[in-house]
Amino acid sequence: MNDLAVCLAAEARRLGLESGALEHAHPDAVQTFAQRVLHGLAALGLIKGNVELGCWAAPRPGGH
C-alpha cells in the first residue's frame, strides 16, 4: 500500500468519514477530505496543483 493511501485513510478516520453512509457526513468534513486528496495528487504531480485544486475543492455554487 502506498503512503498516500495510508495518509488518506488516516485523514478519513480523523474526519469521521469511515462510514459507508456519506450522505450523513458533515459537508465541511467531506470538503476537507477532498482538499487533502487533491493536494496529495498534486504533490505526486498527477494534477497541476493549486490552479486545478481551487475549482474542485469547494462546493459548487447554486444554479450549476
Side-chain angles (χ1 to χ4, degrees):
M1 189 174 311
N2 68 40
D3 292 341
L4 179 59
V6 171
C7 212
L8 292 176
E11 186 64 15
R13 285 190 299 275
R14 187 184 75 75
L15 292 168
L17 299 175
E18 287 186 90
S19 172
L22 288 178
E23 64 271 9
H24 301 295
H26 193 281
D28 289 342
V30 175
Q31 180 179 353
T32 298
F33 185 73
Q35 287 174 330
R36 302 278 161 72
V37 169
L38 292 169
H39 284 288
L41 293 174
L44 292 172
L46 299 172
I47 59 175
K48 290 182 184 175
N50 288 335
V51 173
E52 290 185 31
L53 294 180
C55 177
W56 297 104
R60 295 210 178 261
H64 283 228

